[in-house]
Structures are given as C-alpha cells and as structure tokens.
C-alpha cells in the first residue's frame, strides 16, 4: 500500500482521541479553566442588569462595580492560564505523534519505502503532525468548552426572556443549515491541500537528492518549473480550503449580527409595550454579544477538525505501511562470536508482483569462515543475495538459513547484529566522522577504533581533517571523496565485529594502493569471519576460497578460480575481461 491510498479504518475522531489519551488530565484541566472563564463571563450581564436597576432606583452602585471588576480580572487571569495549559498540552500531543511516527517510519520494510516518496513521508511527520496542535485545542477542546458555554448561555438567555431566545435560535438555526453545506467541502479541500504539500515535499527531496546531477545536466530550469508547479498546486488547494473556512466563519458572524438586530427590534417593541424592562433588554443583548464567542468557537472547532481529520488520515496511512516487528535492542557484537554459515535453498524472489523474478531457484551454501565471492553479469541477482540475507526483503519461496536456522525464525535485531554490511554506494550520514564510524557499535573503545582506522587507511584522513574524528562530513558525506566514503563504510562494518561480513563491491572507488591494502585486510578478516563479496575485479575474486557464479537469477557454478576457469565458459569469459561488468 502506498501513502496515497486511503483504506477504511477508524474515524478521525477516534484517532485523535488515541493521541490525546496520554494527556487527558492536562487537557481536562485546561478545559475546566476555560469553562470557569466562560462562567465568569456569563455572570457579567446579570451584574450589569443589577447595576442598571440600582441606577434606576438611585441605589449605591459601588458593590456592583467592584463585583464587575473582580469578574473581569478573574476572567482574564483564568483565560490566560487555561490557554497556556491547552497550548502546552497540544504541543505534547504533537511531540507524541512525531515520536510515534518517526519510530514507525524507521521500522518500515524496505519494500514499503521503495513504493513511497521520502519527501511525502517527511511531510507527514512535519506538516501533518503540526496540524494536531490546532485540532487538539481549537477542535477537541473548542467543541467541548464552546459547546457547554453555548448551552449555558442559551439557558441564561431563556431565563432572562424566552421570547427573545426563540427569535435568536431561529436565526442561529438558519445559519447552521448553511454551515452543514459548507463543512464537508472544507474536509475535501483540506485533504487535497495536505496531499499537495506532500507532493511538493517529494519533488523537493527528489531534486536535492540529486542536485549535482541536475546542475551537471543543466536541468535547473526544468526542475524549477516542476517545483513551482507543485508549490502552486499546494497554494491552490490551500486557498480553496481557506475560502470555505472563511465562508463558514463569516456565516457564523453574520448570523449573530442578524440575531442582534432582530433581538434589538423585537426587544425594543417588548420594552415599549411594557413586557420587559430596559435592564432585561440590555442583559439579553449582552448575552447575544456573549453568544458570538461560543458559536464562533464551535464553528471554528468544526472547520479546524476538518483540516485535522485530513492530517490524521494521512498520518494513519503512513502507520499502515508494512513495517518490521519491533524488538528489543540486540546485544552489542563481541569479539569471541563464532563465524556464521549461510545457505540458500531453491530461493525465488521478485521485488514486486508486477516485476519479473530476480532469483529463479537460487541454491548455494557457505560454510563458516573464509571468503566467498559472487560474480556474474549485471542483473544476475548478486546484490539481491545480500538484501535477502539482511531480510530487507523476504523470499517468495525457498529457504534461507543462518547457522542452519531459517532467517524468519531469527529476531531481526539479533540477526542484523551478527552482520556487517557495506553497500555499493557506501552511504555516509550527515554528522561527524566519529558518529558514522561508531554507528553500529557506539561502545567501541579508542584502541579498537584507532586500529581499524589504520587498517582501513583512514588514519591519514583523520590527521588531515581540521577537527579530526569530530569533523562534520556534510550531507551524505559530500565532504569526503568516493574512496574515503567506501573506507568509512568498511571501517564501520569492521567495528561491528560481525560474524558475517557482506561486501558489495566495496573497493570499486579505491585507488590501487588502498585497494590492495584493504584486500589484504579482508583476507585477514576472513580467517576468523565469514566474508561474502560481490566482486567485479579479478584481483578480489582470485583471493576467494570459493566462487559462486550467477547468471539470470540462477547459480550456474561453484568452485575455485582455477576450477571455474576450466569448467565454466561464462566465468572464463568474465575472468578474461577482468570482471569489468557494472554492479547490479
């Protein structure tokens, strides 16, 4: 399933309650403070009516004025405190959602990531979670406190004058009918606006991830147009959502203005006939004014909920993507671990149902210790062997075992703690050189680190860097050369003290001197560790204890260099061309 799909699931309000539940007591405290604030406001019209009566009958007004002053101060103080509590709680809800979503995204299956746009996933963890802030306070609390305040205000208005209340409710009911037509449009527009933000994020990530290629190809203008088109689409959808939101807010405001005018006219007539006194009319008009706030609060809550519902749906879609099971952290690797044995038995695999098979019944076995090289033309399925061992993907059929135990029976964290993996492009993360080296084993002592730096010939690089191991390597290691990134990746894998070392053309960007040195290092590691190498250079392959020749997703031969040159025509041809095939 891709993030763009919208499967059936719990309604947005249930999802929202799930995020709010851990903070329910703080939210309740904020809501109570808001209700108390509203209650102090509801008392003001009654005090104003008594004040007018005191003036009309020439009584002292000092007590009424003092009471009004106290209510105003209490209203302001409680309102500020309630607002702070609610805003703080809303930020905590956003934090919880971001932590949950980021943890889940880190556990996504590689197949799910392959089908997704990283930029869109980033938008869901940044933009979409931000909307939970408003939907928590303005929507969830707004509907609760605004609704209760609205009911309380209506009750007070009914006690003051039921006839004028009927006039007011008739106007409000008409406005509610109009809002019932507008609100669904806000939901659709908000969802499309959030989707457009995701598309824009995906477009930006696509360009920034290959900016050198874009510049070298002179494609800045074309990519600029693509980015601008995505930004304009986001703008159009956001403006559309704003249009309907503004319409809803103005409808509520207009209804209250009409209600005020109508109450003033009907109330004036009732005063003229003696049905009510002027103090009662003033009190009721104050309640009409006061009614504007909870009505606008409820309308705002409903419209904000539509925006938040769209964000919640997008967050939930990301949380439905296939993920690996969560497991406790595996123990750090130790130096006395036994080397691993690996075996494939009739493995069939393809990356997606609509793609051709990469493996057509692959079978081979690798004993503990020693070096095994995988060779073959591009597209033979060599790199896929490593992806399956790491369980980035699972085979469609057949069995893969480590130490005689099916990979599916291994706890993922324990499985991967036994493996050191150097990928083809040797990715380096933004941060310091030390952070990158210790990524897989942060408890490495300085002596071991120094020894591995020397082994991988990184000690000279560290000596040249301005801050040594603490030097920042830039986004994706841009401050390092290709060969330096490969050596960092190899050192990182060696520092894990793996039982099984996977090297996917790990020396392709090294010069002859560094390649020879690392080749000797790998040979030394292979004496105590199982090493699997995808290789395209004859110098690497001839060092291997055994060679697995792959072609078109099958294993066609296994043997030593000398045996295969004599027995397998494909291997003899590859050996004759020095294995200069490109990586698959």
């Amino acid at each position: 399933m891709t993030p763009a799909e919208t499967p059936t699931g719990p309604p947005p309000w249930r999802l929202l309650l799930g995020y709010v539940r851990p903070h329910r007591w703080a939210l309740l405290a904020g809501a109570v403070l808001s209700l108390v604030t509203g209650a102090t406001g509801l008392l003001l019209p009654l005090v104003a009516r008594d004040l007018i009566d005191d003036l009309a009958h020439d009584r002292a007004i000092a007590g009424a004025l003092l009471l009004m002053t106290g209510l105003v101060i209490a209203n302001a103080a409680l309102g500020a405190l309630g607002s702070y509590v609610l805003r703080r709680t809303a930020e905590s809800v956003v934090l919880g959602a971001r932590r949950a979503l980021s943890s889940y995204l880190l556990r996504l299956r590689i197949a799910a990531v392959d089908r997704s746009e990283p930029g869109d996933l980033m938008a869901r963890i940044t933009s979409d979670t931000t909307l939970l802030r408003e939907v928590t306070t303005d929507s969830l609390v707004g509907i609760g406190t605004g609704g209760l305040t609205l009911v309380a205000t209506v009750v007070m208005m009914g006690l003051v004058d039921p006839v004028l209340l009927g006039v007011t409710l008739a106007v409000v009911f008409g406005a509610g009918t109009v809002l019932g037509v507008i609100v669904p449009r806000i939901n659709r527009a908000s969802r499309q606006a959030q989707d457009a933000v995701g598309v824009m994020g995906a477009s930006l990530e696509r360009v920034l991830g290959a900016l050198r290629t874009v510049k070298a190809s002179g494609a800045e203008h074309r990519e600029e147009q693509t980015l601008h088109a995505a930004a304009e689409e986001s703008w159009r959808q956001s403006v559309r959502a704003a249009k309907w939101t503004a319409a809803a807010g103005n409808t509520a405001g207009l209804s209250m203005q009409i209600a005020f005018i109508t109450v003033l006219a009907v109330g004036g007539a009732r005063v003229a006939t003696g049905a009510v006194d002027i103090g009662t009319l003033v009190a009721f008009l104050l309640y009409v004014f006061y009614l504007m706030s909870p009505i606008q609060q409820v309308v705002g809550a409903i419209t904000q909920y539509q925006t938040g519902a769209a964000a919640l749906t997008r967050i939930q879609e990301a949380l439905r993507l296939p993920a690996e099971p969560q497991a406790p952290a595996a123990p750090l690797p130790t130096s006395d671990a036994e080397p691993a044995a690996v075996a494939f038995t009739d493995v069939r695999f393809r990356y997606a149902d609509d793609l051709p098979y990469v493996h057509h019944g692959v079978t081979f076995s690798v004993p503990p210790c020693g070096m095994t090289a995988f060779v073959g033309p591009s597209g033979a399925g060599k790199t896929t062997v490593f992806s399956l061992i790491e369980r980035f993907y699972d085979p469609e059929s057949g069995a893969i075992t480590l130490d005689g135990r099916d990979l599916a029976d291994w706890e993922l964290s324990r499985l991967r703690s036994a493996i050191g993996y150097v990928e083809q492009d040797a990715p380096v993360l933004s941060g310091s050189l030390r952070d990158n080296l210790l990524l897989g084993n942060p408890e490495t002592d300085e002596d071991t680190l120094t020894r591995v730096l020397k082994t991988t010939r990184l000690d000279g690089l560290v000596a040249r860097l301005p801050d040594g191991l603490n030097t920042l390597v830039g986004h994706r290691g841009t401050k390092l050369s290709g060969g330096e990134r490969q050596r960092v990746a190899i050192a990182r894998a060696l520092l894990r003290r793996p039982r099984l070392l996977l090297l996917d053309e790990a020396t392709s960007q090294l010069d002859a001197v560094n390649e020879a040195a690392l080749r000797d290092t790998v040979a030394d590691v292979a004496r105590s560790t199982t090493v699997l190498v995808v290789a395209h250079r004859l110098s690497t392959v001839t060092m291997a204890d055994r060679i697995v020749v792959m072609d078109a997703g099958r294993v066609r031969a296994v043997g030593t260099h000398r045996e295969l040159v004599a027995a397998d025509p494909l291997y003899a041809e590859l050996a004759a061309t020095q294995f200069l095939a490109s990586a698959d």
Side-chain angles (χ1 to χ4, degrees):
M1 183 193 76
T2 63
E5 297 172 1
T6 310
T8 58
W13 64 267
R14 288 188 62 183
L15 300 175
L16 178 60
L17 290 179
Y19 286 111
V20 169
R21 190 171 292 111
H23 313 282
R24 57 186 180 277
W25 297 117
L27 197 64
L28 180 61
V32 169
L33 286 170
S34 297
L35 287 174
V36 174
T37 302
T40 59
L42 286 174
L43 294 175
L44 283 172
L46 297 179
V47 176
R49 182 178 65 178
D50 293 341
L51 178 63
I52 293 173
D53 288 342
D54 290 342
L55 288 171
H57 295 88
D58 199 26
R59 293 194 293 263
I61 61 172
L65 285 175
L66 188 61
L67 180 57
M68 289 188 70
T69 302
L71 287 173
V72 169
I73 294 174
N75 185 274
L78 290 173
L81 180 59
S83 177
Y84 167 74
V85 171
L86 289 176
R87 290 291 170 184
R88 189 178 188 279
T89 305
E91 292 293 345
S92 298
V93 171
V94 172
L95 173 62
R98 284 177 173 166
R99 291 175 65 178
L101 185 54
S102 60
S103 296
Y104 191 84
L105 293 182
L106 285 174
R107 293 189 292 109
L108 284 182
R109 292 192 179 278
I110 297 297
V113 177
D114 291 342
R115 296 194 301 268
S116 305
E117 290 285 355
D120 182 59
L121 294 177
M122 289 167 59
R124 293 172 195 247
I125 204 172
T126 54
S127 174
D128 291 341
T129 54
T130 299
L131 292 177
L132 294 182
R133 180 188 302 120
E134 283 71 28
V135 79
T136 300
T137 52
D138 297 347
S139 182
L140 191 61
V141 176
I143 288 177
T145 60
L148 289 174
T149 304
L150 179 61
V151 171
T153 305
V154 169
V155 170
M156 298 297 291
M157 293 171 75
L159 294 175
V160 171
D161 193 301
V163 175
L164 294 180
L165 173 61
V167 172
T168 304
L169 291 180
V171 176
V172 172
F173 179 77
T177 303
V178 176
L179 288 174
V181 177
I182 294 175
V183 165
R185 289 173 168 79
I186 296 175
N187 182 284
R188 288 194 296 271
S190 298
R191 173 59 197 265
Q192 290 168 352
Q194 287 303 109
D195 285 343
V197 170
V199 171
M200 184 175 64
S203 299
L204 185 59
E205 193 275 338
R206 169 180 170 271
V207 173
L208 293 180
L211 192 57
R212 283 183 171 83
T213 302
V214 170
K215 289 181 176 294
S217 303
E220 293 98 329
H221 182 65
R222 291 192 299 278
E223 295 300 330
E224 180 183 45
Q225 289 177 325
T226 301
L227 286 173
H228 286 184
E232 287 167 6
E233 178 62 20
S234 175
W235 174 83
R236 278 194 294 270
Q237 298 298 345
S238 297
V239 167
R240 184 177 168 219
K243 176 184 69 176
W244 290 114
T245 302
N250 285 322
T251 298
L254 179 62
S255 69
M256 295 315 303
Q257 293 177 22
I258 294 174
F260 177 79
I261 295 172
T262 305
V263 167
L264 185 61
V266 175
R270 287 173 62 75
V271 170
T273 60
V276 296
D277 55 37
I278 187 67
T280 298
L281 177 59
V282 170
F284 196 91
L285 287 173
L286 287 175
Y287 275 123
V288 172
F289 271 119
Y290 194 78
L291 193 64
M292 292 182 184
S293 177
I295 284 182
Q296 289 181 332
Q297 188 177 14
V298 170
V299 171
I302 293 173
T303 55
Q304 188 62 52
Y305 173 76
Q306 303 307 313
T307 302
L312 282 165
T313 301
R314 282 172 48 82
I315 292 172
Q316 195 64 20
E317 287 171 5
L319 291 174
R320 288 197 188 98
L321 290 172
E324 296 171 344
Q326 190 169 13
L332 292 172
T334 58
S335 57
D336 58 350
E338 294 294 326
V342 179
F344 275 50
T345 305
D346 198 24
V347 170
R348 290 173 58 84
F349 171 76
R350 55 182 170 178
Y351 285 98
D353 293 341
D354 57 346
L355 294 176
Y357 282 94
V358 180
H359 284 176
H360 301 270
V362 171
T363 299
F364 65 85
S365 62
V366 177
C369 254
M371 181 193 301
T372 300
F374 290 81
V375 301
S378 177
K382 303 183 296 296
T383 294
T384 302
V385 168
F386 289 4
S387 295
L388 291 173
I389 292 174
E390 282 275 12
R391 281 202 68 193
F392 296 149
Y393 307 92
D394 292 322
E396 190 170 296
S397 63
I400 305 173
T401 61
L402 185 75
D403 293 339
R405 182 182 174 191
D406 196 292
L407 292 189
D409 297 332
W410 282 79
E411 191 176 85
L412 267 178
S413 57
R414 288 188 175 274
L415 172 68
R416 291 175 181 163
S417 70
I419 302 173
Y421 183 27
V422 180
E423 303 170 62
Q424 283 183 4
D425 53 357
V428 173
L429 281 66
S430 177
S432 70
L433 180 58
R434 181 187 296 274
D435 291 338
N436 273 277
L437 291 168
L438 302 183
L439 185 65
N441 189 3
E443 303 301 322
T444 300
D445 59 76
E446 288 297 318
D447 290 341
T448 302
L449 179 58
T450 301
R451 185 174 66 254
V452 171
L453 288 175
K454 185 175 181 180
T455 297
T456 54
R457 296 206 169 190
L458 282 170
D459 51 343
L461 170 66
V462 173
R464 293 194 305 270
L465 292 175
D467 296 316
L469 286 170
N470 296 319
T471 301
L472 300 179
V473 297
H475 178 60
R476 297 184 179 178
T478 53
K479 295 182 180 180
L480 303 176
S481 68
E484 288 167 346
R485 287 196 295 272
Q486 280 197 323
R487 280 181 279 158
V488 168
I490 293 170
R492 182 168 57 208
L494 293 178
L495 287 169
R496 283 178 63 79
R497 299 171 181 170
R499 299 176 54 212
L500 174 64
L501 181 61
L502 308 179
L503 303 175
D504 193 354
E505 193 52 36
T507 60
S508 60
Q509 298 187 57
L510 300 182
D511 57 65
V513 175
N514 282 315
E515 183 198 356
L518 281 174
R519 198 165 58 240
D520 293 340
T521 298
V522 171
D524 184 58
V525 170
R527 295 189 182 97
S528 58
T529 303
T530 306
V531 179
L532 306 186
V533 180
V534 171
H536 297 94
R537 293 186 179 179
L538 185 61
S539 55
T540 302
V541 174
T542 54
M543 294 172 50
D545 299 294
R546 71 197 58 80
I547 301 167
V548 177
V549 184
M550 298 188 67
D551 185 25
R554 290 183 172 85
V555 174
R556 57 177 290 148
V558 178
T560 65
H561 172 69
R562 185 181 299 275
E563 293 169 347
L564 292 173
V565 166
D568 187 73
L570 175 61
Y571 181 83
E573 180 183 350
L574 292 173
T577 57
Q578 297 290 299
F579 296 96
L580 295 179
S582 61
D584 60 325

